[in-house]
């Protein structure tokens, strides 16, 4: 993929061993100006010596619906509009488009547009993952707990259901389960996972 042709680029290094990305400075401030592409990622993989083969016991990450099957959560609450006011800076929200079956993303009061193609960002599935997020240091960075497990929401096709998530190790796969303790199955397409701080869950609204 090509990226923005913006002024000065500052390379990002993975531990100083290989270049895996770069920064743009014309219209974005750190840390929100970091970009990468296939070539940079491959350079980082090569520099670190990472394997690109699946392990023999790898069974995939998410579970997806079969071809031609649509997942509409049973007993879900209406979620045609999902507002995430827990993010106090950009105030993002999603609006469900019944024609396409996708959610359109908005932030800062307008469409959230991909600067590569000038198209509004959409997704088929939204996972809200409730997590504790204590302060990491005095600079305002958060130490997001993505390991201990917790509650959340699975949102797709205009519906939202309660879920829980768990992870068996820091490098393990995060699994999401519905109220019947069945691992959720996503609609084919794009999935957006939003981390929601435990103390800001009530600021998420559904219409």
């Amino acid at each position: 993929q090509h990226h923005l042709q913006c002024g000065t680029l500052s390379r990002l290094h993975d531990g100083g061993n290989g270049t895996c990305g770069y920064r743009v400075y014309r219209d974005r401030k750190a840390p929100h100006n970091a970009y990468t592409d296939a070539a940079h990622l491959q350079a980082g993989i090569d520099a670190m010596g990472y394997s690109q083969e699946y392990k023999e016991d790898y069974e995939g990450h998410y579970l997806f619906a079969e071809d031609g099957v649509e997942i509409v959560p049973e007993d879900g609450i209406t979620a045609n509009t999902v507002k995430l006011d827990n993010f106090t800076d950009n105030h993002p929200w999603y609006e469900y488009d019944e024609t396409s079956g996708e959610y359109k993303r908005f932030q800062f009061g307008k469409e959230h547009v991909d600067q590569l193609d000038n198209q509004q960002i959409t997704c088929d599935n939204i996972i809200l993952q409730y997590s504790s997020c204590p302060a990491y240091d005095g600079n305002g960075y958060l130490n997001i707990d993505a390991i201990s497990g917790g509650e959340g929401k699975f949102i797709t096709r205009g519906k939202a259901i309660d879920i829980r998530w768990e992870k068996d190790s820091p490098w393990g796969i995060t699994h999401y389960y519905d109220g019947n303790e069945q691992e959720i199955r996503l609609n084919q397409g794009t999935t957006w996972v939003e981390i929601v701080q435990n103390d800001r869950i009530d600021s998420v609204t559904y219409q």
Side-chain angles (χ1 to χ4, degrees):
Q1 269 189 333
H2 296 289
H3 289 263
L4 299 176
Q5 296 179 353
C6 300
T8 304
L9 300 180
S10 175
R11 292 182 174 180
L12 303 179
H13 297 273
D14 49 2
N17 295 317
T19 301
C20 59
Y22 57 86
R23 293 187 186 275
V24 297
Y25 291 101
R26 187 183 70 183
D27 59 353
R28 291 179 180 270
K29 296 179 179 180
H32 304 293
N33 62 348
Y35 288 81
T36 191
D37 55 23
H40 284 85
L41 290 175
Q42 188 63 54
I45 290 170
D46 294 342
M48 298 300 293
Y50 293 144
S51 171
Q52 292 182 258
E53 301 295 328
Y54 288 119
K55 293 182 178 179
E56 291 184 1
D57 59 351
Y58 180 72
E59 297 180 349
H61 194 145
Y62 297 121
L63 300 181
F64 288 95
E66 301 294 335
D67 291 346
V69 176
E70 182 179 45
I71 303 297
V72 180
E74 296 182 3
D75 302 322
I77 64 172
T78 299
N80 291 320
T81 300
V82 181
K83 294 184 177 181
L84 302 175
D85 284 335
N86 56 298
F87 294 100
T88 57
D89 184 25
N90 58 335
H91 297 283
W93 78 94
Y94 295 88
E95 293 183 4
Y96 179 57
D97 183 339
E98 189 173 355
T99 301
S100 66
E102 298 175 324
Y103 282 89
K104 297 179 178 180
R105 196 172 197 275
F106 299 78
Q107 63 175 3
F108 295 110
K110 60 184 180 181
E111 295 87 351
H112 187 177
V113 173
D114 188 333
Q115 292 186 338
L116 288 176
D117 58 16
N118 206 36
Q119 298 296 310
Q120 185 173 8
I121 292 175
T122 63
C123 62
D124 295 84
N125 312 286
I126 306 167
I127 294 175
L128 304 186
Q129 183 172 319
Y130 305 157
S131 303
S132 63
C133 303
Y136 186 79
D137 58 22
N139 296 314
Y141 294 107
L142 299 178
N143 188 12
I144 299 174
D145 182 356
I147 299 174
S148 299
E151 308 300 319
K153 277 279 199 299
F154 169 42
I155 306 163
T156 191
R157 299 301 192 265
K159 296 288 185 179
I161 61 171
D162 292 326
I163 59 172
R164 69 173 185 86
W165 63 275
E166 65 178 35
K167 193 171 186 176
D168 59 9
S169 69
W171 297 104
I173 294 173
T174 304
H175 295 279
Y176 302 91
Y177 300 91
D178 63 20
N180 296 317
E181 291 301 308
Q182 298 297 309
E183 191 161 3
I184 64 172
R185 194 169 288 272
L186 306 176
N187 281 301
Q188 294 185 20
T190 303
T191 298
W192 194 300
V193 179
E194 300 270 10
I195 300 294
V196 177
Q197 292 177 243
N198 282 333
D199 58 356
R200 296 184 179 180
I201 295 171
D202 290 341
S203 64
V204 180
T205 58
Y206 310 85
Q207 297 176 355

